[in-house]
Amino acid sequence: MKPISRRIFLSISTATAVVGVNQLLASCGNNQSDTSTSPSPDTTTTPAEGELNLYSSRHYNTDEELYQGFTKETGVKVNLIEGKDDELIERIQSEGENTPADILITVDIGRLWRAQEAGIFTPVSSTILTEKIPPALRDPEGNWFGFTKRARVIMYNKDKVKPEELSTYENLAVPKWKGRFIVRSSGNIYNQSLVASLIEAHGEAKTEEWCKGLVENFAREPQSNDTGQIQDVAAGVGDLTLANTYYLARFAKSEDPVKQEVYQKIGLFFPNQNDRGTHVNISGAGVVKTSKNQENAVKFLEYLASDKAQEFFAQGNNEYPVVEGITLDPVLEGFGTFKADETNIASFGPNLATAVKVMDRAGWK
Ligand code: FE
């Protein structure tokens, strides 16, 4: 079967001002497996009709299969252009009006907000999207929509902490946890968005106080990523941490006995079940303002909200679908049900700059 999507990793250093996808493929030392499509002279600035250029920071093979499903349904060819989140935003900005990008797919409200602030998106009005995607997980003006969600939860060493001792994010800042808590740096967008959600719930001053308490409890200077925190909690470097659910799911599914051992040591706790709920974040997408294929772009977003696509898209990264009633991955099912914070995630965006300042003032490196 002829591959439908072509993939390429972009680096910002290869940015050129005006390019079509075929040129990108020709000029970037691409690693796509499909060599059957030759560059067309007609696509220098405008992609051919019936094509869609997807700028995505997701790198899962299952996504490609999913996009092929869209092509089968609609005949619209999907060109996948992969890159790192912030690079893709910068890329679209530097390409300006001539960007071939039709859709930007990225993770975390922090980045969707950044893209929105940069004026990359155009508002989309679609009954399918507004009916299927819960209001808390999309921009009220339709600039972007969440297609999967992940919870940022407490993960703890089962030998050191009992779940009865845990309750809320707020509780992580009490002296009981002094020298026992580890977390990644404040430069990480997941932490920034979580702090932005606390600012939304409590205001700046109280959140800063919370951050200070949390920093007091650090067992070490922030370092590594979510996976590293989980491994280090299992190893006893700290007793508890904050991490996104899909990272633990990866350990659960790993056939590596070392990772299995880590998984067996870790407990997962959904904070704030008796008040506003656990902080959830999204991976999401929006239609690029200058897209020449807006109709197909909206169709594509609607496709991502379809039941089959939801299941696939979520499972690609062990995430939760946003649409109700979709079969959950068995590992996530095993994590149990939880109450999610239903504050509109869009409201965290304007708090992000303050969140960074608050963390900085509190000494969260
Ligand atoms: Fe991640």
Side-chain angles (χ1 to χ4, degrees), residues 23 54 58 83 181 232 298 326 328-329 350 356:
Q23 280 177 300
L54 220 66
R58 286 173 57 106
F181 178 74
D232 290 344
V298 174
I326 306 299
L328 263 196
D329 179 281
V356 172

Side-chain angles (χ1 to χ4, degrees), residues 150 190 244 246-247:
R150 63 276 293 279
Y190 306 152
N244 288 350
Y246 56 89
Y247 289 104

Side-chain angles (χ1 to χ4, degrees), residues 109 196 200 343-351:
I109 170 61
E200 193 60 20
T343 310
N344 192 312
I345 194 163
S347 68
F348 304 155
N351 297 340

Side-chain angles (χ1 to χ4, degrees), residues 198-200 202-212 354 358 361-362:
L198 284 156
I199 291 173
E200 193 60 20
H202 302 298
E204 181 177 344
K206 272 198 173 169
T207 304
E208 186 166 340
E209 224 173 277
W210 176 79
C211 276
K212 282 181 181 153
T354 310
V358 160
R361 288 199 296 262

